[in-house]
Amino acid sequence: MKVSLKGRKTLYDVLFLTDEEIYAVNKKNNLKRVFEYSQVKFTFDAEWEEELIKNREILAIKKPRCASFYMHYAILMAIKEHIKEHIKEEIKSIAIIEDGDGTFKKGFLKDIKCIVNLRGIRINISGNAYKNIFDIKISDLDDKNMLESISYEYKRVKQKIENESRKLMKLDYILKNIPAIV
């Protein structure tokens, strides 16, 4: 997968993706850059890459070091199949609530809770290290379990924001009260 700034011809090879940013490198001069999705035009090497970018919320799932980005696509396809089978509609929105993981000598395990089209689901995935072989099991979350997960994550994120706000206020105070260095 490659990206270029809109209106420019220079191509960058994608190194890493998140749900918010693209980390890429220009192979000619080894210049590394970070882009937002709105800044770039994609050139895809495979169809699955395009599907992944269309539903990039799935990239909020932490990828184990020993797995490729194809893991996200495999999860996305499993979710699509589950949603079509149970509620007969397409994916409109995905929100990752919990993302637990573990590793063992030759692979990894993940336990993910997410909301897809306002429906709570749990995804259990295991995979072989450095191979695109995954075992994915999806089940529906009951309303109580879903609300507990959302409430816990809400409180955790709110606390994190409050801590960062305090830190920001302190830094702001320091910047305003330190005499300018000439």
Short mmCIF file of all heavy atoms in Angstrom, two decimals, residues 147-163:
data_model
loop_
_atom_site.label_atom_id
_atom_site.label_comp_id
_atom_site.label_asym_id
_atom_site.label_seq_id
_atom_site.Cartn_x
_atom_site.Cartn_y
_atom_site.Cartn_z
N LEU A 147 -23.11 -2.73 28.67
CA LEU A 147 -23.18 -1.47 29.41
C LEU A 147 -22.06 -1.38 30.46
O LEU A 147 -21.50 -0.30 30.67
CB LEU A 147 -24.54 -1.30 30.07
CG LEU A 147 -25.68 -1.00 29.08
CD1 LEU A 147 -27.02 -1.02 29.81
CD2 LEU A 147 -25.47 0.32 28.38
N GLU A 148 -21.72 -2.50 31.11
CA GLU A 148 -20.62 -2.50 32.07
C GLU A 148 -19.30 -2.16 31.38
O GLU A 148 -18.51 -1.37 31.89
CB GLU A 148 -20.51 -3.87 32.74
CG GLU A 148 -21.57 -4.14 33.78
CD GLU A 148 -21.50 -5.56 34.33
OE1 GLU A 148 -20.61 -6.33 33.94
OE2 GLU A 148 -22.37 -5.88 35.16
N SER A 149 -19.08 -2.74 30.21
CA SER A 149 -17.84 -2.48 29.46
C SER A 149 -17.76 -1.02 29.03
O SER A 149 -16.72 -0.39 29.17
CB SER A 149 -17.77 -3.38 28.22
OG SER A 149 -17.65 -4.72 28.59
N ILE A 150 -18.85 -0.50 28.53
CA ILE A 150 -18.88 0.89 28.08
C ILE A 150 -18.68 1.83 29.26
O ILE A 150 -17.91 2.79 29.18
CB ILE A 150 -20.19 1.20 27.33
CG1 ILE A 150 -20.24 0.43 26.00
CG2 ILE A 150 -20.33 2.70 27.08
CD1 ILE A 150 -21.57 0.49 25.31
N SER A 151 -19.34 1.55 30.36
CA SER A 151 -19.22 2.39 31.56
C SER A 151 -17.78 2.40 32.08
O SER A 151 -17.24 3.46 32.41
CB SER A 151 -20.18 1.88 32.64
OG SER A 151 -20.04 2.63 33.80
N TYR A 152 -17.16 1.23 32.15
CA TYR A 152 -15.78 1.13 32.61
C TYR A 152 -14.85 1.93 31.70
O TYR A 152 -14.01 2.70 32.17
CB TYR A 152 -15.33 -0.33 32.67
CG TYR A 152 -13.86 -0.49 32.95
CD1 TYR A 152 -13.38 -0.35 34.25
CD2 TYR A 152 -12.96 -0.75 31.93
CE1 TYR A 152 -12.03 -0.47 34.52
CE2 TYR A 152 -11.60 -0.86 32.19
CZ TYR A 152 -11.14 -0.72 33.48
OH TYR A 152 -9.80 -0.83 33.74
N GLU A 153 -14.99 1.76 30.39
CA GLU A 153 -14.12 2.45 29.43
C GLU A 153 -14.36 3.96 29.48
O GLU A 153 -13.44 4.76 29.41
CB GLU A 153 -14.35 1.91 28.02
CG GLU A 153 -13.39 2.43 26.99
CD GLU A 153 -11.94 2.00 27.21
OE1 GLU A 153 -11.66 1.14 28.07
OE2 GLU A 153 -11.07 2.56 26.53
N TYR A 154 -15.62 4.37 29.63
CA TYR A 154 -15.98 5.78 29.74
C TYR A 154 -15.27 6.42 30.93
O TYR A 154 -14.65 7.49 30.82
CB TYR A 154 -17.50 5.92 29.86
CG TYR A 154 -17.97 7.34 30.08
CD1 TYR A 154 -18.15 8.20 29.01
CD2 TYR A 154 -18.21 7.83 31.37
CE1 TYR A 154 -18.58 9.50 29.20
CE2 TYR A 154 -18.64 9.12 31.57
CZ TYR A 154 -18.81 9.96 30.48
OH TYR A 154 -19.22 11.25 30.67
N LYS A 155 -15.33 5.75 32.09
CA LYS A 155 -14.69 6.28 33.29
C LYS A 155 -13.17 6.36 33.12
O LYS A 155 -12.54 7.32 33.55
CB LYS A 155 -15.03 5.42 34.51
CG LYS A 155 -16.46 5.56 34.96
CD LYS A 155 -16.80 4.59 36.06
CE LYS A 155 -18.29 4.65 36.40
NZ LYS A 155 -18.67 3.58 37.33
N ARG A 156 -12.59 5.34 32.49
CA ARG A 156 -11.14 5.31 32.27
C ARG A 156 -10.70 6.46 31.36
O ARG A 156 -9.74 7.17 31.66
CB ARG A 156 -10.73 3.96 31.66
CG ARG A 156 -9.24 3.72 31.64
CD ARG A 156 -8.90 2.43 30.91
NE ARG A 156 -9.15 2.53 29.48
CZ ARG A 156 -8.35 3.18 28.63
NH1 ARG A 156 -7.28 3.81 29.06
NH2 ARG A 156 -8.63 3.20 27.34
N VAL A 157 -11.41 6.68 30.28
CA VAL A 157 -11.06 7.74 29.34
C VAL A 157 -11.29 9.11 29.98
O VAL A 157 -10.47 10.02 29.83
CB VAL A 157 -11.87 7.60 28.02
CG1 VAL A 157 -11.71 8.82 27.14
CG2 VAL A 157 -11.44 6.35 27.27
N LYS A 158 -12.37 9.26 30.72
CA LYS A 158 -12.67 10.53 31.40
C LYS A 158 -11.55 10.88 32.39
O LYS A 158 -11.10 12.03 32.44
CB LYS A 158 -14.02 10.44 32.11
CG LYS A 158 -14.49 11.74 32.68
CD LYS A 158 -15.88 11.61 33.25
CE LYS A 158 -16.31 12.95 33.82
NZ LYS A 158 -17.66 12.89 34.39
N GLN A 159 -11.10 9.89 33.15
CA GLN A 159 -10.01 10.12 34.12
C GLN A 159 -8.73 10.52 33.39
O GLN A 159 -8.01 11.42 33.82
CB GLN A 159 -9.76 8.85 34.96
CG GLN A 159 -8.73 9.05 36.04
CD GLN A 159 -9.14 10.07 37.07
OE1 GLN A 159 -10.27 10.07 37.55
NE2 GLN A 159 -8.24 10.98 37.41
N LYS A 160 -8.46 9.88 32.28
CA LYS A 160 -7.27 10.19 31.49
C LYS A 160 -7.33 11.65 30.98
O LYS A 160 -6.34 12.38 31.04
CB LYS A 160 -7.19 9.22 30.30
CG LYS A 160 -5.89 9.16 29.60
CD LYS A 160 -5.95 8.06 28.55
CE LYS A 160 -4.63 7.77 27.95
NZ LYS A 160 -4.70 6.71 26.93
N ILE A 161 -8.49 12.06 30.52
CA ILE A 161 -8.67 13.44 30.03
C ILE A 161 -8.48 14.43 31.17
O ILE A 161 -7.82 15.46 31.01
CB ILE A 161 -10.05 13.61 29.37
CG1 ILE A 161 -10.09 12.84 28.04
CG2 ILE A 161 -10.38 15.09 29.15
CD1 ILE A 161 -11.46 12.75 27.42
N GLU A 162 -9.03 14.14 32.35
CA GLU A 162 -8.88 15.03 33.50
C GLU A 162 -7.41 15.17 33.90
O GLU A 162 -6.95 16.27 34.19
CB GLU A 162 -9.72 14.52 34.68
CG GLU A 162 -11.21 14.71 34.48
CD GLU A 162 -12.06 14.02 35.53
OE1 GLU A 162 -11.50 13.38 36.46
OE2 GLU A 162 -13.29 14.11 35.42
N ASN A 163 -6.69 14.05 33.91
CA ASN A 163 -5.26 14.10 34.25
C ASN A 163 -4.49 14.93 33.24
O ASN A 163 -3.64 15.75 33.61
CB ASN A 163 -4.68 12.68 34.32
CG ASN A 163 -5.22 11.90 35.48
OD1 ASN A 163 -5.77 12.44 36.43
ND2 ASN A 163 -5.07 10.58 35.40
#
